[in-house]
């Protein structure tokens, strides 16, 4: 059930409309403390959706919302759940996104 919900939600995290994209990130930020480790089945799908395009966004609202989501994940989820997906993403990023994710991993 959770994977079906986040499957649909994931496309909002990539939405070409920046307002929709930002609201989706802000909503994700609010959901993380409530769902915590129950997000584990969908974390491998969510990390790329959160990071791709959003951490390198020139839109300050989207960038801030994406960094807030990553911070919330680090605060509320078991670190072992995040290590692999964050390392995988950090390998293939560039620019500010790579720097931000590398700092989180450190």
């Amino acid at each position: 059930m959770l994977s079906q919900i986040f499957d649909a939600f994931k496309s909002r995290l990539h939405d070409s409309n920046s307002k929709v994209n930002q609201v989706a990130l802000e909503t994700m930020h609010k959901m993380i403390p409530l769902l915590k480790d129950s997000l584990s089945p969908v974390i491998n799908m969510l990390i790329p959706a959160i990071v791709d395009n959003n951490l390198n966004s020139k839109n300050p609202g989207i960038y801030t919302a994406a960094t807030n989501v990553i911070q919330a994940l680090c605060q509320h989820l078991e670190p072992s759940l995040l290590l692999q997906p964050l390392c995988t993403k950090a390998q293939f990023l560039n620019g500010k996104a790579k720097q931000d994710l590398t700092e989180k991993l450190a």
Side-chain angles (χ1 to χ4, degrees):
M1 176 71 169
L2 190 65
S3 60
Q4 292 172 331
I5 292 168
F6 279 98
D7 233 11
F9 186 74
K10 177 179 76 167
S11 60
R12 299 293 64 93
L13 294 168
H14 286 292
D15 204 283
S16 59
N17 182 324
S18 61
K19 290 178 184 176
V20 171
N21 191 347
Q22 185 173 341
V23 169
L25 287 164
E26 291 167 353
T27 302
M28 185 78 227
H29 182 249
K30 292 174 186 174
M31 289 189 296
I32 292 167
L34 302 172
L35 297 173
K36 297 182 182 179
D37 288 338
S38 64
L39 288 171
S40 64
V42 295
I43 203 68
N44 287 328
M45 170 190 49
L46 282 179
I47 296 288
I50 294 162
V51 173
D52 291 349
N53 303 322
N54 297 322
L55 273 185
N56 271 331
S57 178
K58 291 183 182 1
N59 180 321
I62 290 174
Y63 172 77
T64 300
T67 56
N68 288 341
V69 169
I70 297 296
Q71 181 64 36
L73 287 169
C74 292
Q75 284 180 321
H76 297 286
L77 268 71
E78 175 62 38
S80 63
L81 293 174
L82 297 172
L83 187 60
Q84 183 62 45
L86 290 178
C87 284
T88 301
K89 278 316 299 174
Q91 284 181 309
F92 300 104
L93 291 172
N94 55 34
K96 183 101 173 96
K98 184 174 193 112
Q99 179 183 346
D100 288 346
L101 221 49
T102 304
E103 288 174 7
K104 281 289 173 215
L105 285 164

